[in-house]
Amino acid sequence: MYEGKSILQLHELLVSKKVTPLDLVKDAIELAKKDDNNAFEYIMENEAIKIASNLGEVDENNLLWGIPFVIKDNMSTKDVPTTASSNILKGYIPVFDATVVKKLKDAKAVPIGKTTLDELAMGGTGTSGHLGVTHNPWDKSKTRLVGGSSCGSAAATAAGIVPFALASDTGDSTRKPASFAGLVGLKPTWSRISRWGLFPFAPSLDTIGIFSRNVMDCAIVTSVLAGRDEKDATSSTEKVENYWKFVGKPCEKRNIAIVKEIVDTISDKEVVMAFNKTVSEFKNRGFKINEVSIPNEVLTSLFPTYFVISCAEATSNNANLDGIKFGPLSNGSTYEEVMCEARTKGFGELIKRRFVIGSFALMKENQNDLFLRAQRNRRRIVEIVNNILKDNDFIYLPAAPSIAPKINESSDRLSDEYLIADNHLVLGNFAGLPSITLPIGFKNDMPFGANLMGRAFDEVGLFQVAYELEQITGLANIYAKGGK
Ligand code: GLN
């Protein structure tokens, strides 16, 4: 009944007492139970009903009061199973809420479920979690991916079950699925939102992510989540704004850069045409568009650089998954035996491969040639990006080379198109910049998106220019109707 409604629409219904939080939660739970995309690890039925029943009187000044949402299952939730879609964490029930979960609960939003992901957030397909493939709600034939790693949060939001979802983004895990699922997907500035309780993948790149179906909703959630958290020493003390209050006000920053080489490498004409159309519209609205250049040899180094750094950090940060502290206990008479069995049984093939690569890159004799070399290259890339952002307020690009791929479709992973157009969103993680994906068009009834990236801590400007793009495309509040 309330499927597909935005935060603001639901807020109005709540304030005018046309619905209660309990109505919304029951409705969302029912939809979650009917979900046939494999979006959920765990539906928080009893927990959500209890919270919704005890919210008291409606608070009309609090836009999140009584609003249901879902949480990617790599975030700790007190007394609620949390697996990161990995067998190694089967049965793990955290004793605390991640700061982002706590903040939303304190704001009286109601979590209704934990969502599937690529195992431990390492992946971009939404196929590697222990519950198998997560499907794209827009594709009724169930042959297309929704993308990952935040697959379940993307699917639940795109199916209209909840108006927003918590996700995470280390390379593009919020912004790429957002493109495949017709969603708004935000990666904030690194350190803007506390990561306490988010399972680390590669902490120099990791951020919390947010999915919603319009820019305003995304800004509303960001306003609540942003800010210093004493529990996360890496969280920023930079001033937090009421971001949503700036949405819709004229955007003062008007210089937009487009990286020619990235657009040029995309072979899908429809994506490029739709993108170019939005560029013309930006011009019509008085924005200045500057074509800038990043050499191909730099762009083709993005993925290998990301892979070495992220695998190395992941290997080190996941060393605590040894079968003793969390998850099912394994057999063995020594620590090594227990750990070996737990990790052999508990991790999927792709995770093991990443840990092997990470360990290899960190070996003393390889460190200089691999890990440190990747870090030096990252520094070079960050300098290039920051240089572009000296004269430009934003960088604007197609978010992905095409619509969501078919489940078994494999791309040529050595082609420039793959290396560049499928991986350029990692620029935002390398440089720690805020970056947001929005839908800009459809092909074969499947959505595709574009991405805007801004200067560090300029979430205000980013939301404003994103809102402008939303006006240009008219693609706010779209969702895949009916589920089946
Ligand atoms: N797809 C990228 C990877 O495979 C990004 C993952 C992420 O952002 N969590 O690692």
Side-chain angles (χ1 to χ4, degrees):
M1 215 157 62
Y2 307 106
E3 188 185 77
K5 294 232 183 313
S6 69
I7 294 178
L8 282 184
Q9 287 168 335
L10 293 176
H11 177 69
E12 259 175 46
L13 291 171
L14 286 164
V15 169
S16 60
K17 301 212 160 69
K18 293 203 175 86
V19 306
T20 66
L22 193 58
D23 296 333
L24 294 185
V25 159
K26 284 188 172 162
D27 196 57
I29 299 262
E30 199 176 310
L31 291 170
K33 284 184 174 168
K34 280 196 219 144
D35 160 64
D36 57 356
N37 294 306
N38 188 27
F40 288 90
E41 280 283 342
Y42 180 83
I43 298 177
M44 295 167 64
E45 182 166 11
N46 296 335
E47 297 87 344
I49 287 179
K50 197 168 151 207
I51 297 175
S53 311
N54 289 310
L55 284 181
E57 202 38 39
V58 59
D59 177 358
E60 56 190 58
N61 298 317
N62 174 2
L63 297 171
L64 289 181
W65 189 90
I67 305 289
F69 70 101
V70 294
I71 305 164
K72 186 174 177 179
D73 204 29
N74 59 348
M75 288 172 217
S76 291
T77 39
K78 187 174 183 324
D79 300 332
V80 174
T82 302
T83 65
S85 292
S86 177
N87 284 332
I88 205 158
L89 286 168
K90 228 176 179 169
Y92 170 53
I93 301 182
V95 293
F96 64 93
D97 278 327
T99 295
V100 281
V101 173
K102 180 169 186 308
K103 281 191 162 186
L104 289 171
K105 278 182 167 176
D106 288 349
K108 311 291 181 203
V110 188
I112 66 124
K114 301 296 294 287
T115 57
T116 51
L117 56 148
D118 278 302
E119 185 173 2
L120 295 166
M122 294 180 214
T125 57
T127 61
S128 73
H130 63 176
L131 299 184
V133 179
T134 298
H135 293 101
N136 194 317
W138 288 95
D139 173 38
K140 309 296 174 228
S141 68
K142 300 270 171 262
T143 56
R144 286 186 190 275
L145 304 172
V146 68
S149 64
S150 313
C151 48
S153 282
T157 315
I161 299 173
V162 283
F164 78 94
L166 287 176
S168 64
D169 193 307
T170 304
D172 57 16
S173 272
T174 302
R175 294 160 296 150
K176 184 76 92 61
S179 181
F180 294 156
L183 294 170
V184 172
L186 173 77
K187 177 201 102 64
T189 305
W190 186 87
S191 79
R192 179 65 301 178
I193 295 181
S194 165
R195 302 177 296 177
W196 195 71
L198 167 72
F199 296 178
F201 164 7
S204 78
L205 305 162
D206 291 342
T207 62
I208 294 287
I210 299 164
F211 287 120
S212 66
R213 291 187 300 267
N214 66 60
V215 173
M216 179 56 127
D217 282 3
C218 189
I220 291 171
V221 178
T222 309
S223 305
V224 170
L225 297 184
R228 171 72 183 168
D229 173 14
E230 290 307 325
K231 289 180 174 143
D232 174 359
T234 66
S235 64
S236 173
T237 52
E238 193 82 13
K239 180 168 175 267
V240 176
E241 301 286 351
N242 260 325
Y243 302 104
W244 64 274
K245 293 201 169 159
F246 295 86
V247 175
K249 295 208 176 121
C251 178
E252 278 158 29
K253 298 181 179 139
R254 307 192 76 82
N255 283 328
I256 299 179
I258 288 168
V259 184
K260 184 179 170 343
E261 290 82 358
I262 297 179
V263 183
D264 282 354
T265 188
I266 296 177
S267 59
D268 189 322
K269 300 266 176 311
E270 279 158 89
V271 168
V272 176
M273 261 169 58
F275 175 76
N276 286 341
K277 218 171 119 196
T278 59
V279 171
S280 307
E281 275 302 318
F282 267 125
K283 281 186 195 154
N284 291 344
R285 287 169 175 246
F287 284 83
K288 193 163 177 296
I289 304 286
N290 303 313
E291 224 177 59
V292 299
S293 183
I294 302 181
N296 263 331
E297 49 114 13
V298 173
L299 292 171
T300 50
S301 76
L302 291 177
F303 180 66
T305 304
Y306 164 76
F307 213 65
V308 170
I309 292 174
S310 65
C311 288
E313 289 190 31
T315 306
S316 148
N317 280 285
N318 286 282
N320 62 345
L321 300 179
D322 56 3
I324 291 177
K325 300 174 190 74
F326 317 93
L329 199 61
S330 296
N331 297 319
S333 49
T334 63
Y335 177 63
E336 274 74 23
E337 277 175 29
V338 172
M339 179 175 66
C340 268
E341 186 173 299
R343 290 172 80 96
T344 304
K345 281 197 197 147
F347 291 138
E349 284 313 304
L350 293 174
I351 296 299
K352 288 177 187 158
R353 196 182 302 173
R354 291 200 188 211
F355 289 160
V356 169
I357 293 170
S359 305
F360 189 74
L362 287 175
M363 277 166 69
K364 201 164 173 237
E365 53 272 50
N366 298 334
Q367 251 190 41
N368 190 45
D369 287 345
L370 290 170
F371 186 55
L372 297 178
R373 184 169 162 208
Q375 284 191 318
R376 283 192 292 271
N377 198 41
R378 174 178 177 180
R379 165 63 43 208
R380 175 171 78 134
I381 294 162
V382 170
E383 271 167 17
I384 294 173
V385 173
N386 285 337
N387 253 334
I388 294 175
L389 288 173
K390 268 191 196 137
D391 306 323
N392 296 278
D393 303 304
F394 310 104
I395 299 177
Y396 180 50
L397 290 163
S402 192
I403 57 170
K406 293 225 156 132
I407 287 162
N408 292 319
E409 204 167 59
S410 58
S411 40
D412 172 4
R413 298 208 152 212
L414 293 177
S415 71
D416 277 6
E417 179 163 22
Y418 175 78
L419 286 172
I420 296 174
D422 242 318
N423 285 290
H424 71 84
L425 294 179
V426 78
L427 288 169
N429 306 77
F430 280 168
L433 304 174
S435 171
I436 191 166
T437 293
L438 277 79
I440 60 161
F442 281 86
K443 173 180 170 168
N444 304 337
D445 297 328
M446 295 297 296
F448 57 85
N451 181 271
L452 284 153
M453 193 160 72
R455 297 191 186 108
F457 296 104
D458 189 19
E459 271 79 6
V460 167
L462 192 69
F463 282 130
Q464 288 190 318
V465 73
Y467 182 77
E468 197 93 29
L469 177 58
E470 194 172 61
Q471 302 306 301
I472 289 173
T473 63
L475 293 177
N477 299 319
I478 56 169
Y479 73 103
K481 291 194 181 60
K484 289 196 178 135

